[in-house]
Amino acid sequence: MKKFAAALAIIAMTALPALAKGYTISFNQIVEHPALDALRKGVQDELAAQGFEVSYNIHVAQGNISTANLIARQILGENPDLVVSIATPTSQACAQVIKKIPIVFAAVSDPVGAGLVPSLEKPGGNITGTTDMSPVDRQVDLIREFLPGLKRLGVIYNSGEANSVSIVKALKQVCDQLGITLEEATIANSAGVYQAAKSLVGRSDAVYIPTDNTVVSAFEAITKVGYESKLPIFAADVDSVGRGAIAALAVDYYQMGRQTGEMAARVLKGADTAGMPVETLREFQIHLNPASAKKMGVEIAEAMLKRADKIVE
Amino acid sequence: MTWYAFLGALEQGCAYGLMVLGVYLTFRILDFPDLTVDGSLPLGAAVSAVAITAGIDPFVSLAIAMAAGFLAGMVTGVLNTKFRILHLLASILTMIALYSINIRVMGRPNMTLLGKGTILDPLYGAGLSPSVAAPLLFGGICLLAAGFLMWFLHTEFGLAMLATGDNKQMITSQGVNTHNVIIIGVGLSNALVALSGAMLCQSQGAADVNMGVGTIVAGLASVIVGETLIGDRSINRAIIAALLGSIIYRLAIALALGLKLGRFSFTPSDLNLITALLVVTALTAPKVRRRLRFR
């Protein structure tokens, strides 16, 4: 038992309290990833712009759900003024444990399906936030501007990611209404992406890539298939345009962070989360990649070039 | 580390403790490296979540989860013994199959339990705060499971299991059917792992198909940390060591989360590295000390 006592002593020694100045905010983020990091920075910039003096406790679960759960407990002990949880599993972990501190979540596609709020309009508890549900109807419209005769749309996603499953469900509805056949290719890890993309050649006129962490991490494999088979590829996040997608109409995660930061500011000023509806992003951005379009056999109209927020060289 | 973080680590250490007992059973007793656990942990969570959502009592859902885990383990055992597939490969096959099965069970990759009844409700009803109730209940269940294992491994069947892991030829010549011993042993191990998953999903508010990733790593690390710090001179002691190993492993992660060293600060992405270093320190400290003493 002496060893165990020694272990406890080490734990006690490192339990140094963090010095707080002004407000304290704790982040529980599932994984480090350019979009999610941009979101976190957006929250911090917005609060700074509004003149809040905040000290931050930033925790990243390294993609591990049990660590996310442990972080929620850690935050309970830090007793911050506000918790910001980024992504679905981290938000669920926080919602389960933290009942008295307000929580603002971000980057959750389906807050109702995830059990975080009973309805988007009336959260009713200590938790509210922003949802990054893709505007799939507008995204499909964008693809149809490039390919007016679109009949078969392919989609690659990880059937194990809750967010992607909700997006594909919404996508299916949109396609049904427009008389487009949705061709699905599911994968379990990023090693399967290349094969999944190949499987869509010949049975789809274009491919839509949702904001799926597993698929997006291997985007270059999809670009390669697009080039080889002249298969147009469209993305739901702007970063993938730089990696070869023809175009994306998407949430700008930094802007989403600013909007989440606005909500956080209201809570810090005393607003009650229970009465604050879950917000969807107000503005979306269009990014274009003309060089990729050419290699995938798609022409970009002059009007589209003018509309784009950013053109990737 | 704060008091809440400490209790949280204790809670997770106990909830994962059952998984560690399962890993101990296969890895140390049966000498069977079983990767099924990465799939049977979320299986237990999924089954429990579906059962509770369907209105079944949360405690009964634990039993159903264990039954599902037992079946999953038996599949690995049968693949290994009857179909003569290498144990490592047999368990990987079951594990990857379970990924699809778990999504089938839930009908989606993530199933929420927020706002639903759990096994912790009776304790909340008794006035205990959530952060105290969970470690108490999970700790209690762990001790029951440990007591059961101590008894079980001293029964005739348990002794046959020990002998199967030690020397298969010898025990076969004694007339024991090692196939049945392996099938039931791996089944029992995965029943414990699934129970662990069921308790975890009730404590974290959701079952997620990806929650099993890295289970085997945590399980082996816990078994080995326990053996190093507590010792494994007898079966009973080794079982207690496995449980304490699980708690120490989670404490190490909680410690890494709260680590701040003056002006030098770790970034959040260093978490895995720090955890690994803490575990390595726990593993090597007794050896280093022994060497110093002999000098």
Side-chain angles (χ1 to χ4, degrees), chain A residues 11 14 58-60 67 70-71 74, chain B residues 1 5 248-261 266-268 270-279:
Chain A
I11 290 159
T14 39
I58 296 165
H59 303 290
V60 180
T67 308
L70 209 50
I71 288 172
Q74 181 84 22
Chain B
M1 185 166 36
I248 294 166
Y249 182 76
R250 296 295 151 182
L251 280 173
I253 297 175
L255 196 60
L257 279 173
L259 210 58
K260 281 197 180 77
L261 291 177
F266 289 103
T267 70
D270 293 329
L271 177 63
N272 281 2
L273 174 66
I274 302 169
T275 309
L277 287 176
L278 284 171
V279 173

Side-chain angles (χ1 to χ4, degrees), chain A residues 104-246:
Chain A
V104 175
F105 59 77
V108 176
S109 288
D110 184 7
V112 177
L116 297 173
V117 291
S119 82
L120 295 181
E121 295 73 31
K122 287 203 178 71
N126 66 327
I127 180 164
T128 185
T130 52
T131 160
D132 66 347
M133 182 63 193
S134 291
V136 278
D137 47 347
R138 290 173 60 182
Q139 288 170 334
V140 173
D141 282 346
L142 182 81
I143 298 174
R144 295 208 307 162
E145 281 185 49
F146 288 93
L147 303 159
L150 182 73
K151 280 278 156 254
R152 302 168 304 170
L153 181 63
V155 60
I156 307 173
Y157 68 105
N158 177 354
S159 50
E161 279 192 36
N163 278 348
S164 312
V165 173
S166 348
I167 290 167
V168 172
K169 211 169 132 195
L171 183 66
K172 182 107 182 61
Q173 269 184 350
V174 171
C175 286
D176 281 351
Q177 276 168 12
L178 295 169
I180 297 170
T181 318
L182 189 65
E183 298 285 349
E184 299 179 28
T186 60
I187 52 141
N189 54 53
S190 52
V193 169
Y194 182 69
Q195 204 184 355
K198 283 230 147 189
S199 79
L200 288 172
V201 175
R203 63 180 173 116
S204 52
D205 309 319
V207 177
Y208 167 89
I209 306 299
T211 49
D212 182 300
N213 290 317
T214 320
V215 177
V216 170
S217 65
F219 205 91
E220 283 75 11
I222 306 170
T223 306
K224 189 162 172 270
V225 174
Y227 289 168
E228 285 167 359
S229 318
K230 289 215 178 298
L231 182 64
I233 310 291
F234 296 87
D237 71 295
V238 291
D239 294 319
S240 295
V241 177
R243 297 167 73 187
I246 293 176

